[in-house]
Amino acid sequence: MPGMFARAWGNPKIKILFLGDSITAGYGIAQEDAYPALLGQKLESLGIHHVEIMNGSISGSTTASALSRLKWFQKAAPDILVLALGANDGLRGLSVENMEENLGQTITFAKNNNMDVILAGMQIPPNYGPEYADAFKQVFTTLADDHGIALIPFLLEGVGGRPDMNQPDGIHPNRAGHQQIAKTVLPFILKRIQEP
Amino acid sequence: MFWIRTAFKELITHKGFSLFFILNLALGLAGFIAIQSFRESLDRHMDENLKEILTADLVLISYNSLTQQEMQQADRILAGYRDKARLVTFFSMARGHDRSRLVRVMAMDGAYPLYGGFTFEEETDSKDIQGNPGLFMTRDTARSLGIKTDSDRGKPVKLGEKAFLIRDFFKDDPDKNLTGLELAPKVYMGLDQLAGTGLIRFGSRVRYLYYYRFEPGVNLEGKIRDLKQHFYDPVRNQPRLNVYDARDVNQRLGRLSRYFTRYMGLVSIIALFLAGMVAAYLFRGFLTLKSKEMAILMAVGATRKYIYFYVSCQLLFLGTISAGLAVIVSMVLLPVFPVIFKDLIPAHLNVGMSFDTLAVALVVGIAGSLVFCLPLFVTIFSIRPLTLLQGHSVTRRGSKRKTLWQALSFVPVIAALFLMSVMVSGTMVDGALFAGGFILALGVFSLIGALVFWACRFPAASKQIPVKIAFRNLFRNKWSSLSCFVTIAMGVFLIALVPQVRKGLETEIIRPKGLKIPVLFLADIQEAQKASLIRFMKAQEGELTRISPMVRGRIKTVNGRPFYGRRDKSEKRARGRRLAFIFSFRKTLDASEKVVQGAPMSQTPWEFGSNTPFEISLERSFADRHDLKIGDALEVDIQGIFLTGKVVNLRQVKWASFQPNFFMLFQDGVLNDAPKTYVAGISNLDRSRRHELKNEIVDRFPNISVIDVTQTAQTILGVTDRLSLSVKFMAWLAIAAGLLSIFSISRHEAFKNRNQINLLKVLGTDFNTLQLITLLESGFVGFAAGITALCLSVAVSFGISWYFFDSLWQPAEGTLFLILCLSTVTCMATGLGAAWQVMKARPVQLLGQG
């Protein structure tokens, strides 16, 4: 993304679109406490003012809706896409092959429309069984390699499975959890917008 | 003792009157006992149903296994429980013969379930899977894992790292889910068999459920409060575990259950008022008849104190015998009722009398005799031997002191009425409202009745002899006629309230005509899949119904003020305000919903980008929860696009109808281009085809969630059907009990009129004329009282429905007409019966009885 670095400190704004599910939507907490909003605040505190965060996340959404949703947001011409979908596919035990196909099509569309894609890796809780959990985890690595995009190895690093980082349902991060996710994601964002 | 002996001796001497009095009062009280017993039995029946849905009296749910110390603390707080069971549940991928699928693992201990049970294909004991790696599942689930025939049952099903064998197929299982749509079928295993699966580790998402069963009558509210306090997490500001009891299941059934409880309260109060009214009327009549005797006794030297004692003894005796008889009659008849009304009441309903019901009936019968007659006791003040020599009634004379006493004597009556209303209805407000309404209705009927009998002077001037005599009698005896009019009107009024409220309630409970109950529910249908899914389903046996769009969005502002941060009813009840909502649109409303306030939405599609706000329809309880009203401007964020709409109407939705319904509907044109998914139902599908179709859909459209809602729908609809049946039965029982009361009252009135009829007979009136006069008199009183009561009942039932049942009101013209006919015919028939008796008896005999 040549010129993006310059744009971050000047006009026009860099638009970062988060396309995710309930985790990214900030289920159970205020929208300004969800990690995309926290990232916006962190960027501001770092003096990076010309970044616009768009949170297009929907609770309960699966990868099947990713492409049609991205097409809708294409009207806003995002520069960076943080693709954080797949958790619901996993929780519903959907086919990992289909999930890979859905995410692959979305990444291709984003790249064709000059978006820089950051793929957020997901993992499924161990109660889903080792076979499925392994196959699920592998999808994100494969996609990142195949499409040559940045991969956050595990979006819920330091959050998943920890009661102090999650809401009582054990699956949705609380405020502390979202702050941890923001910390995990920040270097990837900074790298994209600071890349000459 | 002398006065007690005299009192009983007199009752025995006039055994005809005593028997008649006892029978009439017993009938009225038996009606109350029957209704109250049925109400309690139905309440109990519904409660047992709720417990079976919950499978326990109380359930603790935690996302972390309780430590041994925590378990001991919980057991200590819940001390006195009878049984305890444990269940661990989570989703997992099960690998079958040739495929994997998501299942919901239910690892149960040997004590589960505490209520309800499995229905297996074979006669397996549910404990059979505790000692070995066995599974229970439905045949459909087994098929979806590639286990198609019984011979395949030897093939293992792998969960995590452990292989299991299917022990039996269940047709029905104890776990009933009322709200959540199940993502995956349930598979049961023994709790100890979890070891070795490797599925419960750090990061596993598991729910731990602890079930408790208590002896009947244990108050769980205090225990629940203590549990929540003890397991409170101050850091998270909420309890560490969730506690549920039957009331929570009740809440999940929502308004239906609340309506049912209130309706039953209403019917009970009506039954109580009817019984009380019959008692008061009969006691009052008794005292009026006795006033002359009292004057005679005073003339021969009895003091006023002894007169009170003498009359009280007689009243207490008659009341006690009546109440006792009513209890005996009810004890004999109640067990027979479920047999007689086999298809009218829910199956397996055990009808029994509670101590409370018997106590109330005895109190109404015994103490009621004194309380209701207090205003008449005051009239004893004015009884003097001298009045015997006067031509008019011995109780007519009044004084300021008497008026004051009479006014004060009503206080205990009103207090008793209020207390009993509160007791039967269960709440102070409801009881006060009913008691107040009752007194108001009495006032209205007295006023109208006085006008009616005053106006009887006009037909009394008729040249037709029977008309002249009948209306002249009514006009001349207007005070006696008025009391009969008011009592009958109150009876008709009370019994007419029930069917009108019932009809409105039924519109909520009963499934609308033409409603297709889905067998399968499809979620997450993508826009691109819609057309091909419709095409696919056209070639299938089932019918795709109500394919409904769903768009996720947020409410940003209401009338320019931020939605988040407003304090409203939802915030007071819940932890916080929900921000994301589902919006939808449909050109025509579903059969399960209707606009109850405001105008229907415009059929013209809204123009995107237009400056005019689009139209919004809100579900009524949703609007109430969020303090939203018609005319409010809502700014919504539809995935990055901000639009403003205006609330144009409120809808009432039958959530229990199991159709895809939404809290917020937008005008056509708003959401058409927004990214959306669809939900739909599949109905009219044969049970045998269900599994096959499910698999075909999953194969063809892998992302679509196919949820089998047969069991959930059956559970909810089963409960609503039972509610509906009970509501109907109680309405008819109330009408029957009411007619019995009217019969008692009109019989008593006819009994009082025997002397008058006898006089006409002695004066040479032929039987036909006598018959016509009686029919006109009793028929007019019955009809006039009935029609007045019905008019008031329409207005009051509307008010009751508005206040207690969210304006669910429907006119029940047919039933009202039937009540009018039946009450008039009852009055005429009893009047005629009395005329017959007089015609058969010798005049001297009648005079002797007078």
Side-chain angles (χ1 to χ4, degrees):
Chain A
M1 283 281 130
M4 195 180 278
F5 180 78
R7 277 195 277 142
W9 277 268
N11 279 324
K13 281 184 173 178
I14 295 173
K15 290 179 184 170
I16 307 175
L17 171 66
F18 286 81
L19 205 60
D21 46 38
S22 54
I23 296 170
T24 310
Y27 176 89
I29 57 162
Q31 211 177 3
E32 56 269 24
D33 291 328
Y35 79 86
L38 296 178
L39 279 166
Q41 291 163 23
K42 279 186 188 293
L43 291 173
E44 282 280 338
S45 67
L46 291 171
I48 305 169
H49 305 295
H50 298 288
V51 171
E52 185 185 333
I53 303 283
M54 293 188 291
N55 192 348
S57 303
I58 297 175
S59 294
S61 59
T62 60
T63 56
S65 65
L67 184 59
S68 65
R69 282 161 62 196
L70 185 58
K71 283 177 181 170
W72 169 263
F73 283 108
Q74 171 55 19
K75 290 170 185 169
D79 300 297
I80 299 174
L81 169 69
V82 180
L83 189 55
L85 280 165
N88 286 315
D89 296 60
L91 292 175
R92 281 168 50 182
L94 298 179
S95 138
V96 286
E97 291 79 16
N98 278 307
M99 183 176 86
E100 189 173 335
E101 194 184 324
N102 292 334
L103 288 173
Q105 285 171 355
T106 311
I107 294 165
T108 306
F109 179 86
K111 288 179 78 176
N112 289 345
N113 286 279
N114 299 320
M115 286 178 230
D116 203 356
V117 183
I118 301 171
L119 182 64
M122 302 281 177
Q123 287 175 24
I124 206 75
N127 53 286
Y128 280 76
E131 271 178 52
Y132 186 72
D134 291 345
F136 181 85
K137 189 179 169 185
Q138 189 54 43
V139 167
F140 297 93
T141 319
T142 309
L143 281 169
D145 290 346
D146 289 355
H147 292 272
I149 54 170
L151 172 71
I152 304 168
F154 182 33
L155 184 69
L156 298 176
E157 190 62 57
V159 176
R162 286 184 54 179
D164 57 325
M165 290 283 174
N166 286 286
Q167 295 178 42
D169 63 8
I171 204 152
H172 292 104
N174 56 19
R175 280 183 185 183
H178 274 273
Q179 279 168 357
Q180 177 58 42
I181 301 172
K183 274 187 204 162
T184 306
V185 179
L186 184 65
F188 292 88
I189 300 285
L190 283 175
K191 193 176 175 196
R192 303 327 293 169
I193 60 176
Q194 288 171 349
E195 212 172 55
Chain B
M1 282 305 287
F2 166 77
W3 289 107
I4 297 176
R5 262 205 319 274
T6 312
F8 287 120
K9 211 167 144 187
E10 204 209 32
L11 286 177
I12 292 162
T13 311
H14 297 120
K15 53 182 173 293
F17 169 80
S18 304
L19 198 64
F20 173 82
F21 185 96
I22 288 167
L23 281 177
N24 279 359
L25 185 55
L27 279 178
L29 290 175
F32 167 72
I33 294 175
I35 287 183
Q36 191 65 7
S37 299
F38 265 95
R39 183 232 169 141
E40 284 170 356
S41 306
L42 283 166
D43 277 350
R44 220 171 24 242
H45 180 72
M46 288 300 166
D47 199 38
E48 279 161 15
N49 266 282
L50 297 178
K51 280 178 183 169
E52 280 200 18
I53 290 171
L54 197 68
T55 72
D57 290 312
L58 188 137
V59 187
L60 311 182
I61 302 178
S62 167
Y63 282 98
N64 298 300
S65 178
L66 295 185
T67 61
Q68 204 171 354
Q69 197 188 359
E70 286 176 323
M71 206 60 250
Q72 282 167 354
Q73 283 164 345
D75 284 353
R76 204 186 59 243
I77 294 168
L78 298 173
Y81 64 84
R82 204 169 80 187
D83 296 304
K84 196 168 101 171
R86 268 186 76 196
L87 184 129
V88 174
T89 180
F90 55 89
F91 287 100
S92 189
M93 294 301 281
R95 168 151 281 284
H97 171 52
D98 56 0
R99 65 191 81 164
S100 295
R101 69 152 305 156
L102 186 72
V103 293
R104 191 175 145 211
V105 176
M106 308 279 282
M108 58 175 184
D109 69 1
Y112 178 87
L114 300 178
Y115 290 102
F118 288 90
T119 311
F120 291 112
E121 282 191 4
E122 294 161 16
E123 286 183 5
T124 307
D125 186 341
S126 63
K127 292 179 181 63
D128 282 0
I129 52 169
Q130 294 301 325
N132 55 69
L135 295 175
F136 296 142
M137 62 180 74
T138 63
R139 220 171 246 283
D140 281 354
T141 312
R143 276 195 215 106
S144 67
L145 286 164
I147 296 161
K148 287 174 181 146
T149 59
D150 280 341
S151 57
D152 289 342
R153 263 175 69 177
K155 292 173 184 167
V157 175
K158 213 171 163 197
L159 280 162
E161 287 152 15
K162 193 169 178 175
F164 291 79
L165 286 178
I166 299 173
R167 297 282 299 169
D168 202 348
F169 301 109
F170 63 80
K171 294 175 192 161
D172 194 17
D173 67 322
D175 179 70
K176 305 279 187 293
N177 183 9
L178 282 183
T179 46
L181 296 172
E182 285 295 346
L183 283 175
K186 283 167 279 187
V187 165
Y188 288 87
M189 66 155 79
L191 188 61
D192 293 339
Q193 299 304 318
L194 270 178
T197 58
L199 296 174
I200 312 290
R201 285 193 284 152
F202 173 77
S204 292
R205 192 166 182 251
V206 180
R207 286 205 305 165
Y208 298 85
L209 293 96
Y210 304 86
Y211 298 88
Y212 289 86
R213 180 181 181 151
F214 292 85
E215 295 294 345
V218 174
N219 179 19
L220 296 178
E221 272 180 65
K223 292 181 186 293
I224 291 171
R225 208 176 34 246
D226 290 349
L227 269 175
K228 285 185 175 169
Q229 266 173 9
H230 192 87
F231 288 91
Y232 195 76
D233 183 346
V235 180
R236 291 189 189 185
N237 201 24
Q238 59 199 39
R240 273 185 292 135
L241 43 79
N242 292 316
V243 189
Y244 295 99
D245 69 351
R247 286 170 307 162
D248 296 287
V249 184
N250 223 341
Q251 270 174 11
R252 290 186 200 185
L253 283 170
R255 290 199 308 254
L256 291 186
S257 169
R258 197 180 76 227
Y259 290 158
F260 181 69
T261 312
R262 284 182 163 176
Y263 172 80
M264 288 309 209
L266 173 75
V267 176
S268 286
I269 281 198
I270 284 173
L272 174 73
F273 283 3
L274 280 168
M277 214 173 63
V278 173
Y281 188 81
L282 293 178
F283 288 137
R284 184 191 165 280
F286 173 81
L287 215 59
T288 312
L289 285 172
K290 292 278 161 197
S291 56
K292 204 165 221 169
E293 269 173 35
M294 290 178 215
I296 294 168
L297 285 169
M298 286 175 82
V300 295
T303 61
R304 219 175 285 278
K305 194 174 83 180
Y306 283 116
I307 296 284
Y308 286 133
F309 185 66
Y310 158 80
V311 177
S312 299
C313 275
Q314 287 190 329
L315 281 173
L316 278 172
F317 179 73
L318 290 175
T320 311
I321 298 282
S322 305
L325 185 66
V327 170
I328 292 166
V329 168
S330 309
M331 279 172 128
V332 173
L333 284 180
L334 277 177
V336 190
F337 267 39
V339 182
I340 301 170
F341 303 107
K342 200 179 153 202
D343 297 321
L344 280 175
I345 56 175
H348 314 299
L349 176 74
N350 293 317
V351 185
M353 264 182 284
S354 74
F355 176 76
D356 288 355
T357 304
L358 292 184
V360 175
L362 287 169
V363 167
V364 174
I366 303 166
S369 60
L370 296 177
V371 176
F372 288 127
C373 290
L374 266 184
L376 290 149
F377 265 42
V378 176
T379 59
I380 298 175
F381 273 128
S382 58
I383 297 174
R384 280 174 181 79
L386 184 66
T387 51
L388 281 169
L389 306 172
Q390 294 167 346
H392 55 74
S393 164
V394 289
T395 58
R396 188 80 48 92
R397 255 184 67 180
S399 66
K400 276 186 184 169
R401 191 163 158 249
K402 183 191 155 192
T403 314
L404 180 72
W405 274 110
Q406 234 169 0
L408 284 175
S409 66
F410 276 102
V411 174
V413 181
I414 294 168
L417 190 72
F418 172 75
L419 282 175
M420 289 172 107
S421 304
V422 171
M423 198 185 97
V424 175
S425 70
T427 73
M428 186 73 90
V429 178
D430 291 6
L433 273 173
F434 281 123
F438 187 83
I439 292 163
L440 197 72
L442 268 179
V444 171
F445 289 139
S446 304
L447 204 69
I448 294 173
L451 278 171
V452 166
F453 294 111
W454 175 80
C456 280
R457 66 199 292 183
F458 300 112
S462 164
K463 283 178 184 163
Q464 299 241 324
I465 297 297
V467 176
K468 187 184 178 77
I469 296 174
F471 283 93
R472 194 191 56 195
N473 285 347
L474 289 172
F475 176 67
R476 281 185 181 168
N477 304 319
K478 49 181 165 294
W479 297 114
S480 155
S481 306
L482 180 61
S483 66
C484 183
F485 174 92
V486 171
T487 322
I488 290 175
M490 278 309 291
V492 175
F493 168 70
L494 289 173
I495 60 178
L497 284 180
V498 180
Q500 291 179 92
V501 174
R502 184 210 93 194
K503 201 164 177 198
L505 267 186
E506 278 189 346
T507 59
E508 171 76 13
I509 296 172
I510 284 181
R511 303 176 211 176
K513 275 180 193 155
L515 192 77
K516 288 163 185 160
I517 305 300
V519 176
L520 301 175
F521 210 77
L522 309 183
D524 211 19
I525 306 163
Q526 300 300 313
E527 182 90 71
Q529 293 172 321
K530 189 183 157 195
S532 48
L533 178 71
I534 292 172
R535 261 199 317 278
F536 167 77
M537 281 308 298
K538 269 189 184 153
Q540 303 299 320
E541 195 189 298
E543 194 184 335
L544 192 68
T545 55
R546 273 286 168 200
I547 181 155
S548 310
M550 277 173 53
V551 177
R552 297 260 181 177
R554 289 168 185 256
I555 301 175
K556 297 298 286 183
T557 64
V558 177
N559 298 325
R561 287 191 2 245
F563 181 68
Y564 190 77
R566 286 165 86 224
R567 283 193 65 79
D568 65 14
K569 290 175 194 167
S570 73
E571 206 169 351
K572 283 168 210 158
R573 277 200 293 256
R575 274 181 288 140
R577 181 189 290 274
R578 193 176 145 191
L579 279 175
F581 295 100
I582 292 170
F583 308 136
S584 187
F585 62 99
R586 47 178 53 154
K587 285 195 172 139
T588 53
L589 290 185
D590 189 74
S592 57
E593 60 185 345
K594 68 172 181 186
V595 172
V596 287
Q597 206 182 325
M601 273 205 284
S602 166
Q603 290 293 310
T604 320
W606 183 72
E607 263 185 59
F608 211 93
S610 149
N611 286 329
T612 326
F614 60 87
E615 295 176 355
I616 301 173
S617 171
L618 298 180
E619 194 267 344
R620 190 167 48 185
S621 65
F622 174 85
D624 184 47
R625 262 197 317 279
H626 295 282
D627 288 340
L628 299 171
K629 300 176 296 297
I630 290 179
D632 280 350
L634 269 60
E635 189 193 12
V636 291
D637 169 6
I638 303 163
Q639 293 168 43
I641 307 281
F642 291 83
L643 299 169
T644 303
K646 197 172 170 182
V647 181
V648 293
N649 68 45
L650 302 182
R651 275 169 303 124
Q652 180 199 315
V653 174
K654 292 179 190 181
W655 295 106
S657 66
F658 236 79
Q659 303 299 304
N661 275 305
F662 302 91
F663 288 129
M664 299 179 82
L665 288 179
F666 287 1
Q667 189 179 350
D668 187 18
V670 183
L671 303 172
N672 303 45
D673 292 332
K676 58 178 112 31
T677 57
Y678 291 86
V679 287
I682 293 177
S683 55
N684 294 340
L685 180 66
D686 191 74
R687 200 182 167 86
S688 59
R689 273 281 297 146
R690 215 173 56 197
H691 168 74
E692 211 178 316
L693 181 65
K694 215 158 65 176
N695 279 352
E696 280 177 44
I697 295 173
V698 172
D699 286 345
R700 203 176 279 247
F701 310 97
N703 66 289
I704 295 181
S705 295
V706 186
I707 301 149
D708 193 337
V709 290
T710 322
Q711 196 195 34
T712 316
Q714 269 172 0
T715 307
I716 289 183
L717 295 172
V719 173
T720 56
D721 283 354
R722 277 196 290 272
L723 285 179
S724 157
L725 205 56
S726 308
V727 162
K728 195 174 282 181
F729 177 74
M730 288 305 279
W732 285 111
L733 197 61
I735 291 176
L739 285 172
L740 217 58
S741 308
I742 289 174
F743 173 72
S744 291
I745 292 158
S746 52
R747 256 187 76 187
H748 185 258
E749 199 60 24
F751 184 85
K752 274 179 18 193
N753 286 344
R754 286 182 320 166
N755 281 346
Q756 194 181 307
I757 301 168
N758 191 33
L759 186 66
L760 286 168
K761 182 187 164 187
V762 172
L763 290 173
T765 314
D766 67 278
F767 182 62
N768 284 343
T769 315
L770 203 60
Q771 215 174 1
L772 197 60
I773 293 168
T774 315
L775 280 177
L776 267 172
E777 252 190 86
S778 52
F780 178 77
V781 174
F783 182 78
I787 200 90
T788 312
L790 292 185
C791 291
L792 190 68
S793 78
V794 171
V796 173
S797 66
F798 184 80
I800 289 174
S801 301
W802 172 79
Y803 184 78
F804 291 105
F805 304 106
D806 299 337
S807 300
L808 292 170
W809 185 84
Q810 288 278 309
E813 311 91 339
T815 317
L816 293 190
F817 181 71
L818 186 71
I819 291 171
L820 181 63
C821 291
L822 286 173
S823 56
T824 311
V825 167
T826 306
C827 291
M828 289 167 89
T830 43
L832 206 58
W836 268 94
Q837 277 183 338
V838 173
M839 286 310 289
K840 280 196 290 179
R842 284 181 297 139
V844 180
Q845 192 186 343
L846 286 160
L847 287 172
Q849 280 177 10

